[in-house]
Amino acid sequence: MIRNRTLFAAAALAAIAGAAPAEGTGPTLVRKASSVGVSAPLREVAARAPAYFRPPRPEVWERVNERNPKGERRRSGRSSDAALQRMASATAAMPAPSANFAGMTAANNTAIFGGGPPIPPDPNGDVGPDHYVQMVNTLVRVYSKTGAPLTPFFAIDDLFATVGAPCAETDDGDPIVVYDPLADRWLLSQLCVETTAGREHELVALSTGPDPTGTYYVYDFVLPNDKSNDYPKFGVWSDAYYMTNNQFLGDTDTFAGAGAYAFDRAKMLVGDPDASYIYFDEDDINSEVSGQLPTDLDGVSLPPAGAPNLFIDIRADEYGDPADALRVYEFHADFANPESSTFTPRSDVSLAAFDPRDTGDRNAVAQPPPADEGDFLDSLAGQMMHRIAYRTLAGGVQSYVLNFMVNVSGEDPTGDPAKFQAGIRWVELRRNAGTGAVTVNNQGTYAPGAGTPATGRDVWMGSVAQDRAGDIALGFSASSTTLFPSILYAGRLAGDPAGQLAQGEATLQAGGGSQTTPADRWGDYSAMSVDPADECTFWYTNEYYETSSSSLWLTRIGSFKFPSCTPEAAATIQGTVTDCASSNPLPGAVVSAPNGYMRQSG
């Protein structure tokens, strides 16, 4: 059945810290969670029979990228790419998958909800010392590293059942899972488009311990204004959990800028009901920012104390910007004195020329028959793709890797899929610890076969990460008029020639069919992460089709490792927290060290 929209009671509203300021009265807003609870252990969640039908919410699945404000400013004309890698490396040294197993599927959605599954599935996941956690639109599942399911696939609302109305029974999607290596915890999230006093919600769950099959502190945060919350993405940092989103006016497709959030990590890790967020409405700073992402930390070697989280977006002369570049903002969150928090634009970081345009609608990426031109897929032009992965390399080097889709046809593709061909621009940035200056250390456009838009291969839906040796791996979807959408990955060693993914490419999963729905949506994001057990093994998840159909997508999860990367030496500190009066051990005592390290006694 379709549930009625329900508003919070006055008592719940009173729990929200402070009223929202009038638009434009200040750059920050601080608000506590409206509801905090503890979930049931995920390992005990019962597999749900499809006893009732909750249809997917079309306005949720369709709102992402419904209107691209950059695309509306596009300029016509030919454009070239100054960092193009036209050929796959002849080295062919990319390692084969060491783990390769099935993730969740469209059929899993139907088994729980009945009816058709959501499109796109938004496959993503992250890896911890002993587990892999995957989320897709409406579902969660925990796996061992060999692919054994450790929980049933279950609806996201089972995780958030204790937050109460109006979001406890919603599965509105845009899920994200990230692992916090400093605390050995898991963060899982989804949006909720139900409203409280006209404001939507973001649901955030933090595992109460290192085991992702256990219980979670679950938070329901009412968002700061009547702008709709879309495409939320999280990043782990030592002082906060940072989030970006795209904002729209109500349920319309009118773009209303980006939002920048910092959630109080220290309080959320212990289930403190006073946990709050700090918010900047970037529409007040730059109304054209969209598709921006925060930085997500890999490894336990930290940046310098006080280093800000970098939020990054794309600039392009095809969109009317002065040059092809990255917009970089520094977010300093101060939860002790929120009014001292800052969100500061830095100088743009220039990139080699690229063309970020696609056809101007979602009908862009080619597929083989039975799909026809009306079934071509969305390229997500103008979006920074999940994740911006940060790592402190040897010698304290602050390194960031990111990626986004570019057009490598050499032609203006507006309105014509035959003139569009997708490639992936990957970039490695470095931040100077002394000055804070951000510069390009390496960049390239991966697009073997570029310049053959009518029949050539498209590569898109990328995700990139970096191991402890500075090696880079890029996972992506690949498709053409003769290649069913497949899951591939390519990479480079730290010493390889600049601008090249010189280790070749490998296939995680060959596609067996095309997506034939005219909705054109594909993925919206995928996820490349690095195993904290050795800081060398890459893990990747993405979607594919086994046979051509309108919506029967599947996902795959796999891992691989460059043989030259050696595991990071690790140390373990053990101790017992003791009650002075009774001499008994104290469970649940928080032990913290500077810069975000944290554990609790068992």
Side-chain angles (χ1 to χ4, degrees):
M1 65 177 183
I2 298 175
R3 294 164 292 104
N4 293 325
R5 293 177 177 262
T6 306
L7 297 181
F8 270 121
L13 285 172
I16 300 173
E23 289 290 327
T25 60
T28 64
L29 176 133
V30 182
R31 172 165 287 151
K32 294 181 184 178
S34 62
S35 178
V36 182
V38 179
S39 74
L42 300 194
R43 70 182 76 90
E44 298 177 7
V45 173
R48 181 190 294 173
Y52 60 96
F53 174 50
R54 285 187 294 162
R57 299 278 292 276
E59 71 273 22
V60 179
W61 312 127
E62 290 301 313
R63 198 172 60 200
V64 179
N65 205 32
E66 181 73 29
R67 173 176 285 181
N68 182 347
K70 296 186 178 78
E72 292 173 2
R73 299 183 289 121
R74 70 173 61 213
R75 292 176 174 175
S76 61
R78 301 174 70 89
S79 184
S80 61
D81 193 300
L84 189 60
Q85 180 180 344
R86 290 182 175 273
M87 300 293 291
S89 172
T91 305
M94 202 65 196
S98 50
N100 191 352
F101 54 88
M104 291 181 288
T105 69
N108 296 154
N109 267 280
T110 300
I112 289 180
F113 298 106
I119 297 176
D122 293 352
N124 72 104
D126 208 344
V127 61
D130 302 300
H131 304 85
Y132 190 90
V133 180
Q134 187 190 44
M135 296 182 80
V136 295
N137 270 328
T138 75
L139 299 179
V140 186
R141 196 169 209 177
V142 182
Y143 300 85
S144 74
K145 287 183 175 178
T146 60
L150 302 178
T151 67
F153 53 84
F154 61 90
I156 298 175
D157 70 10
D158 287 335
L159 174 61
F160 291 102
T162 60
V163 299
C167 293
E169 295 185 0
T170 61
D171 294 288
D172 289 341
D174 274 7
I176 285 290
V177 52
V178 290
Y179 173 73
D180 182 343
L182 306 183
D184 196 13
R185 299 290 191 85
W186 299 84
L187 182 153
L188 284 67
S189 72
Q190 74 159 348
L191 55 75
C192 169
V193 302
E194 301 291 347
T195 58
T196 297
R199 295 166 181 164
E200 294 184 1
H201 300 241
E202 184 70 24
L203 304 179
V204 185
L206 263 295
S207 63
T208 61
D211 183 358
T213 72
T215 57
Y216 286 70
Y217 301 121
V218 289
Y219 287 85
D220 179 356
F221 290 97
V222 180
L223 296 185
N225 48 38
D226 61 358
K227 295 181 179 181
S228 293
N229 173 31
D230 187 42
Y231 211 64
K233 298 290 177 292
F234 276 86
V236 174
W237 205 241
S238 56
D239 64 341
Y241 296 124
Y242 288 88
M243 187 187 91
T244 57
N245 70 347
N246 291 336
Q247 303 177 136
F248 294 81
L249 295 180
D251 289 329
T252 73
D253 65 352
T254 303
F255 183 69
Y261 296 77
F263 292 83
D264 193 332
R265 173 179 175 270
K267 289 185 177 181
M268 292 177 71
L269 283 170
V270 297
D272 191 330
D274 287 334
S276 60
Y277 65 77
I278 296 169
Y279 165 76
F280 283 82
D281 190 344
E282 294 188 62
D283 198 28
D284 297 334
I285 302 169
N286 184 345
S287 62
E288 295 169 353
V289 173
S290 68
Q292 184 184 65
L293 292 182
T295 301
D296 186 33
L297 174 73
D298 283 341
V300 294
S301 298
L302 295 177
N309 192 281
L310 300 187
F311 283 39
I312 301 176
D313 188 30
I314 304 164
R315 303 197 77 176
D317 54 14
E318 290 85 0
Y319 295 151
D321 295 314
D324 292 344
L326 299 174
R327 296 180 174 101
V328 179
Y329 299 83
E330 293 183 345
F331 197 157
H332 282 279
D334 186 339
F335 291 99
N337 298 288
E339 66 279 0
S340 299
S341 301
T342 58
F343 188 79
T344 308
R346 292 195 64 92
S347 299
D348 287 348
V349 178
S350 296
L351 296 179
F354 62 85
D355 179 2
R357 298 171 297 180
D358 66 1
T359 57
D361 55 28
R362 292 177 179 159
N363 192 45
V365 174
Q367 301 183 92
D372 57 25
E373 187 174 302
D375 299 321
F376 284 4
L377 302 172
D378 188 2
S379 74
L380 265 73
Q383 302 280 343
M384 191 73 69
M385 297 306 297
H386 180 73
R387 299 177 298 138
I388 298 177
Y390 170 88
R391 182 176 291 278
T392 302
L393 299 174
V397 173
Q398 300 177 52
S399 181
Y400 305 74
V401 290
L402 56 89
N403 82 102
F404 53 93
M405 191 287 304
V406 293
N407 171 44
V408 295
S409 70
E411 302 183 68
D412 181 356
T414 305
D416 189 353
K419 294 182 179 180
F420 171 76
Q421 188 173 14
I424 298 174
R425 172 63 64 90
W426 59 270
V427 182
E428 181 196 0
L429 302 174
R430 298 281 175 89
R431 182 177 181 274
N432 185 291
T435 65
V438 178
T439 56
V440 174
N441 184 64
N442 207 347
Q443 63 178 312
T445 293
Y446 190 70
T452 56
T455 59
R457 191 177 72 161
D458 294 291
V459 295
W460 86 115
M461 203 57 60
S463 185
V464 66
Q466 187 174 40
D467 67 19
R468 66 176 301 268
D471 311 321
I472 294 173
L474 173 71
F476 53 90
S477 295
S479 181
S480 74
T481 55
T482 58
L483 174 68
F484 290 119
S486 301
I487 306 173
L488 284 77
Y489 56 92
R492 57 173 282 110
L493 302 180
D496 282 344
Q500 301 292 304
L501 299 183
Q503 297 301 301
E505 66 182 28
T507 298
L508 180 65
Q509 178 65 51
S514 293
Q515 177 179 287
T516 57
T517 176
D520 303 329
R521 308 302 299 285
W522 185 265
D524 268 358
Y525 41 98
S526 61
M528 182 73 78
S529 51
V530 180
D531 198 325
D534 63 4
E535 299 298 344
C536 289
T537 302
F538 293 90
W539 287 79
Y540 185 58
T541 188
N542 202 340
E543 73 163 297
Y544 70 103
Y545 278 69
E546 195 169 61
T547 58
S548 295
S549 74
S550 63
S551 59
L552 295 180
W553 48 263
L554 302 95
T555 66
R556 203 77 186 168
I557 301 166
S559 66
F560 57 92
K561 174 183 174 294
F562 292 110
S564 56
C565 182
T566 57
E568 187 168 27
T572 301
I573 300 173
Q574 292 182 321
T576 303
V577 181
T578 304
D579 186 316
C580 294
S582 66
S583 297
N584 293 325
L586 282 174
V590 176
V591 181
S592 60
N595 281 10
Y597 295 106
M598 177 269 190
R599 292 292 190 274
Q600 281 182 274
S601 60

